């Protein structure tokens, strides 16, 4: 593991989950207040989910552009301070506390952002330079086409679908001010606000851990702009799609549906597309967690017409060739490998060669197997330990499913696990057991211990972020208020006690 990693504790809380008056968490004052709370609790890492603009289904793992920022995260109060929206327009954006209503957001938020754009000085030198760099050229054109034609990009008129030069030049001229520059403006504002936010978080001695999905969405400017890097047929439709076979998350496997990379084509282009993606991620985050790391060693290819992920084949990924090129061109980035799911010797070997820390999930530890790699006594230092991830139930939800007898046995196993790492935590209730598992993570040898905010606050299943393989009802969790003093005091005490 890189020497840059300090033994420390982190909190997993996505930007969307922060509380405010506007229906979804943002880069507003609450993000700074949350950072202050982390600092007071002696937390050194803040982990977020992917921040790109979400597409159909609202999943941060299915974006319209892998290098974009989510317009929903733009702080509206800052736009008011800059004179881009007025008090009445800001008030119109207010929404009830509680879960995120994405349908309502989609209807209202872009209207407000367009009002801000209408008042923005398009001759602003900083903005003009931003547009001229061309980093969001494909994105702005793609979103403008989506505005005009709807549907997925394979349903665009043929010349636009295939991004023919003359057609795109003429289209850009026709929508230059109405749409093209609006989408450039959205990314310009997001990045400006994100850089300010990240600078503040870093000034507190806290590093941001960001999440990089391995795959991109089919209906994205990434695939539309570079179809040559994906396994598509002559009609630009996927020939096979991504997912994972049946495992402990899902008995029929997970059919993600993302198009697969053409690794031969990417290799022939010196992995330029991937290098640019990693560089963008390194600008947004201090540490990059690569989701589904195993897919870079071998990936699971499912026929595009399949209804489940039960039938598929494993094919070789780029392995060390990709990481050698990343290191050669970008230096030693701080990376965490999400190495969960069905693993084999090849994945373990690749992770060992890269030196990246892998992930350990305590909810998976207590099956009675003393060799279980997730048991605290078996967790090595070059790891990042979690009580659970965004794909798991909250720990209280996980424990609440247990019968009284199962809970009694769980407490016995957890006390033993705590003892193995030199820790003791009194527990009677199920909420106590959640806090005990938090303490177990913090006491472990893993260099970094990450606790979801839901587990710090002992929240139940209603606060779960995502249920894999379910198409709706996910990504809606939001704090109703900032973490309370009692739970943050417990967190701070344990961080100090276990020298994090």
């Amino acid at each position: 593991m890189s020497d840059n990693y300090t033994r420390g504790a982190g909190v997993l809380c996505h930007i969307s989950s922060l509380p405010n008056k506007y229906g979804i968490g943002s880069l507003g004052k609450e993000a700074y207040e949350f950072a202050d709370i982390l600092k007071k609790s002696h937390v050194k890492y803040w982990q977020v989910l992917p921040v790109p603009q979400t597409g159909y289904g609202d999943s941060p793992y299915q974006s319209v552009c892998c290098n974009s920022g989510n317009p929903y995260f733009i702080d509206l109060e800052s736009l008011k301070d800059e004179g881009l929206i007025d008090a009445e327009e800001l008030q119109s954006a207010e929404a009830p506390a509680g879960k995120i209503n994405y349908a309502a957001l989609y209807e209202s938020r872009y209207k407000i952002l367009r009002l801000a754009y209408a008042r923005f000085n398009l001759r602003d030198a900083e903005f003009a330079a931003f547009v001229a760099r061309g980093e969001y050229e494909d994105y702005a054109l793609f979103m403008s086409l989506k505005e005009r034609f709807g549907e997925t990009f394979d349903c665009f008129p043929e010349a636009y679908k295939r991004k023919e030069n003359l057609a795109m030049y003429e289209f850009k001229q026709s929508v230059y001010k109405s749409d093209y520059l609006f989408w450039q403006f959205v990314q310009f504002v997001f990045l400006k606000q994100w850089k300010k936010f990240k600078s503040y978080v870093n000034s507190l001695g806290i590093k941001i851990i960001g999440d990089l999905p391995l795959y991109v969405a089919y209906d994205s400017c990434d695939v539309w702009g570079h179809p040559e890097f994906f396994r598509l047929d002559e009609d630009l439709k996927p020939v096979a799609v991504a997912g994972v076979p049946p495992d402990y998350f899902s008995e029929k496997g997970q059919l993600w549906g993302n198009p697969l990379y053409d690794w031969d084509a990417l290799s022939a282009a010196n992995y330029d597309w991937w290098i640019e993606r990693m560089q963008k991620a390194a600008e947004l985050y201090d540490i990059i967690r690569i989701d589904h790391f195993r897919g870079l060693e071998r990936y699971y290819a499912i026929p595009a017409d399949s209804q489940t992920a039960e039938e598929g084949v494993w094919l070789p990924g780029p392995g060390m060739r990709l990481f050698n090129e990343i290191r050669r061109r970008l230096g030693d980035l701080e990376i965490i490998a999400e190495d969960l799911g069905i693993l084999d010797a090849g994945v373990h070997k690749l992770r060992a060669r890269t030196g990246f820390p892998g992930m350990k999930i305590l909810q998976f530890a207590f099956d009675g197997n003393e060799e279980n790699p997730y048991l605290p006594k078996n967790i090595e230092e070059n790891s990042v330990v979690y009580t659970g991830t965004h794909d798991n139930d909250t720990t209280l939800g996980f424990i609440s499913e247990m019968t009284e007898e199962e809970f009694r046995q769980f407490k016995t196993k957890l006390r033993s696990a705590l003892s193995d790492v030199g820790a003791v935590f009194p527990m009677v209730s199920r909420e106590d057991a959640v806090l005990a598992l938090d303490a177990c993570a913090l006491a472990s040898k893993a260099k970094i211990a990450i606790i979801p905010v839901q587990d710090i606050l002992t929240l139940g299943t209603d606060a779960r972020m995502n249920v894999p393989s379910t198409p709706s009802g996910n990504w809606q969790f939001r704090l109703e208020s900032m973490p309370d003093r009692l739970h943050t005091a417990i967190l701070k005490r344990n961080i100090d006690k276990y020298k994090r």
Side-chain angles (χ1 to χ4, degrees), residues 13-15 17-21 25-26 28-38 46 453 456-457 459 478-488:
C13 180
H14 194 33
I15 302 299
S17 297
L18 295 171
N20 67 17
K21 297 190 290 189
S26 77
K29 61 180 184 290
E30 292 82 6
Y32 292 79
E33 188 181 340
F34 191 80
D36 290 339
I37 289 170
L38 298 185
W46 179 352
V453 70
I456 291 166
L457 301 175
L459 301 178
R478 198 155 64 105
L479 292 167
E480 298 211 1
S481 60
M482 284 294 161
D484 62 88
R485 285 185 178 182
L486 172 64
H487 288 100
T488 52

Side-chain angles (χ1 to χ4, degrees), residues 417-473:
L418 283 161
S419 175
D420 287 337
V421 290
V424 176
F425 199 97
M427 56 182 136
V428 177
S429 70
R430 296 183 190 229
E431 285 81 2
D432 293 340
V434 175
L435 297 174
L437 198 69
D438 295 350
C440 198
L442 294 169
S444 74
K445 282 187 296 193
K447 209 65 177 285
I448 299 175
I450 305 281
I451 304 173
V453 70
Q454 294 96 318
D455 290 352
I456 291 166
L457 301 175
T458 66
L459 301 178
T461 297
D462 194 49
R464 181 171 184 166
M465 195 63 163
N466 180 48
V467 181
S469 297
T470 57
S472 60

Side-chain angles (χ1 to χ4, degrees), residues 7-11 38 40-44 439 442 449 451 456 488-500:
R7 177 176 168 85
V11 171
L38 298 185
K40 286 175 188 168
S41 304
H42 295 177
V43 168
K44 292 175 185 163
L442 294 169
I451 304 173
I456 291 166
T488 52
I490 292 169
L491 176 65
K492 177 177 178 289
R493 186 183 70 208
N494 285 324
I495 287 173
D496 292 348
K497 186 174 182 180
Y498 302 116
K499 297 180 172 56
R500 287 198 180 271

Side-chain angles (χ1 to χ4, degrees), residues 18-24 94-101 476-481:
L18 295 171
N20 67 17
K21 297 190 290 189
Y22 306 108
I24 190 169
E94 292 184 11
K99 292 196 171 183
I100 299 164
N101 182 339
Q476 296 175 354
F477 164 69
R478 198 155 64 105
L479 292 167
E480 298 211 1
S481 60

Side-chain angles (χ1 to χ4, degrees), residues 37-56:
I37 289 170
L38 298 185
K39 171 67 173 174
K40 286 175 188 168
S41 304
H42 295 177
V43 168
K44 292 175 185 163
Y45 301 97
W46 179 352
Q47 182 171 336
V48 297
L49 300 184
V51 300
Q53 180 176 332
T54 51
Y56 178 77

